Each structure stands twice: as C-alpha cells, then as structure tokens.
Amino acid sequence: MTQGVTITVTGYGEIQAQEGERLVLALERGGVDILHRCGGVARCTTCRVSFEEGEPDAMTVAEYGKLEEKGLLGTARLSCQIECAVGMSVTPLQTAAATGLEPGKAPAESIEPAPEWTTRPGASTEG
C-alpha cells in the first residue's frame, strides 16, 4: 500500500497524492489545470513544472531526451515522467487556462514509455 503525500503547488496550495503516482495525474486530480498535449508519453513539453523543493534525482531517459531537445534540460521537468514523493513543491509552467489550449488525451496511470532511469543534471551523487 502506498502512503499519501502532500504536494505544494504554487498558485494552488497543497494537493494530496499517493506516493509513486504520476505527478501530472496528481496535479489534475488536485484541481490544477496542468496542460498535457501528448497523452503523457514525453513527446512534448506542455506538462512542464519547475521545482522549489523535493526535485527527484532520477529522471526517465525519455524526459532527459525531450528536455535536451527543447533546450529545457536543467530548467524544467515533465510532470508526466515524475512519480510523486514526500517533500515536493512545484510550479506548473503551462496551464490550460493560461495558454487557451485544451489538454490532450488522459495520461495512463503508469509512466509511459516504460521508464528507463537516469540521473538528472545537477543531482546530488553523494552517497
């Protein structure tokens, strides 16, 4: 059984999520109109967020590649590729209301594509 976690979201307050839940889904369920256009498969960057606290050191290879391609590596993260954890504080960088765009199809419950994990730039590698 997973434990509940509280995520602080700039402009929205605190939302409740399950540890390991996809951040994009937790944001939506918590009332954040986070934009996502590709269905949560790391083909675009519309679901991006920035971290104030609790940024995970792990990142999917798909997220790394897309952020690098778009020049966003080290400045944003894709909420569709992040699992919720204790201590997270994020700012949504694109919302449906702010852009006037409609979200795409709903992301699956599990991270897609099947995650291959790497370490984000700037992550603490100290043990």
Side-chain angles (χ1 to χ4, degrees):
M1 177 177 235
T2 59
Q3 74 175 31
V5 296
T6 300
I7 310 288
T8 302
V9 185
T10 303
Y12 295 86
E14 294 181 342
I15 64 168
Q16 299 305 307
Q18 292 299 309
E19 190 168 30
E21 179 181 8
R22 289 179 89 173
L23 181 57
V24 67
L25 296 177
L27 291 170
E28 279 192 325
R29 287 197 250 277
V32 179
D33 65 333
I34 189 76
L35 188 61
H36 57 79
R37 302 281 289 172
C38 74
V41 294
R43 288 194 185 134
C44 70
T45 59
T46 57
C47 71
R48 64 186 178 264
V49 297
S50 64
F51 274 84
E52 279 71 55
E53 292 182 33
E55 182 174 0
D57 288 344
M59 147 183 291
T60 67
V61 170
E63 179 185 15
Y64 187 101
K66 183 52 66 175
L67 291 174
E68 186 174 50
E69 173 190 322
K70 297 293 186 179
L72 296 168
L73 193 59
T75 62
R77 296 290 304 267
L78 302 182
S79 64
C80 72
Q81 300 292 300
I82 297 170
E83 296 176 333
C84 293
V86 173
M88 287 184 166
S89 178
V90 300
T91 299
L93 299 177
Q94 288 195 305
T95 61
T99 62
L101 297 171
E102 291 293 319
K105 75 173 192 162
E109 291 295 320
S110 298
I111 292 178
E112 296 178 318
E116 294 177 55
W117 297 99
T118 188
T119 304
R120 69 174 170 85
S124 170
T125 54
E126 308 265 332

